[in-house]
Amino acid sequence: MDREKFSEEMAKRTYIAAGSETHLFMHEMSQRALAFTAEISGKYHTPEELRKLFFELIGKEVDDTFGLFPPFSTDYGMNITLGKRVFINSGCCFQDQGGIEIGDDCLIGQQVVIATLNHDLDPEKRGSMLPAPVKIGKKVWIGAHATILPGVTIGDGAVIGAGAVVTKDVPAYTVAVGVPAKIVKEIAKNPCNSDENDCGGD
């Protein structure tokens, strides 16, 4: 098993049997992620140093506009994809084996959890897992302490309220709150053109 093969298996949402080659590879790679996140979170780094460390962690180019407030935790790291002008606040935990995509201009609040693995419901197979990616569109704001569960897609411009547990897809330009999260409001694509949000000006 190598990273390329592992990525292929995750993309196909292949069942991960406990003790299998894929499962053992996950454990091996988690040690790498722990080393990087310990360095990121264990002492002060300048924003430039954090971007460099995050680039090395995820193995992909990180835009100069990326911002991170440690501590940060991830189980794998190599299956995180970021857009431009993404900000991740302190205490976030990403379980990214199944794939996490975050679009441009997203704000991720404090202690947000993004999970991409489900364990088998059968108690005799509970150590086995099924991956499913999380996809977050552009200009999404995820409030503090929210949890995004495997397989969820969040549309552009959406807002996830603080403490929400998101179990289903969230349409673009909506607000989702609660446990489980439910849509409570639609958002105008250009708030300054709506009656409720008079931005003034000429």
Side-chain angles (χ1 to χ4, degrees):
M1 178 67 64
D2 57 25
R3 294 175 190 173
E4 183 177 353
K5 178 64 175 177
F6 181 77
S7 294
E8 292 175 358
E9 294 296 304
M10 295 303 99
K12 292 188 293 185
R13 302 193 185 192
T14 302
Y15 184 81
I16 305 168
S20 65
E21 182 183 11
T22 303
H23 191 208
L24 294 175
F25 179 80
M26 286 172 54
H27 280 280
E28 177 185 343
M29 294 304 294
S30 69
Q31 297 305 305
R32 173 188 177 275
L34 285 170
F36 272 104
T37 55
E39 177 63 26
I40 288 171
S41 305
K43 62 181 180 180
Y44 173 76
H45 294 281
T46 67
E48 292 78 15
E49 290 170 339
L50 284 173
R51 281 191 286 270
K52 182 179 179 181
L53 285 166
F54 210 85
F55 162 77
E56 293 175 0
L57 169 65
I58 71 174
K60 303 179 183 73
E61 184 176 354
V62 176
D63 191 79
D64 288 344
T65 57
F66 171 70
L68 172 69
F69 281 3
F72 174 79
S73 176
T74 186
D75 293 356
Y76 180 53
M78 302 293 288
N79 215 356
I80 298 171
T81 302
L82 300 176
K84 297 180 180 180
R85 297 173 298 278
V86 171
F87 175 68
I88 299 174
N89 215 326
S90 61
C92 290
C93 297
F94 288 8
Q95 182 195 56
D96 69 295
Q97 289 94 335
I100 295 174
E101 296 181 18
I102 301 176
D104 296 344
D105 301 296
C106 284
L107 303 174
I108 312 298
Q110 293 175 329
Q111 299 185 337
V112 166
V113 173
I114 302 178
T116 65
L117 295 174
N118 275 316
H119 284 275
D120 198 314
L121 290 178
D122 183 345
E124 301 304 318
K125 300 178 181 179
R126 190 60 52 80
S128 300
M129 291 166 282
L130 187 66
V134 168
K135 298 182 180 181
I136 300 171
K138 298 178 180 179
K139 299 183 179 180
V140 172
W141 173 22
I142 301 179
H145 297 271
T147 298
I148 316 300
L149 295 185
V152 165
T153 295
I154 300 174
D156 293 348
V159 175
I160 308 301
V165 177
V166 185
T167 62
K168 298 179 180 179
D169 290 354
V170 175
Y173 300 101
T174 61
V175 178
V177 302
V179 181
K182 296 181 180 180
I183 307 305
V184 296
K185 183 178 181 179
E186 294 185 358
I187 301 171
K189 291 186 179 181
N190 185 352
C192 292
N193 289 338
S194 71
D195 293 337
E196 297 179 358
N197 297 282
D198 185 1
C199 297
D202 294 334

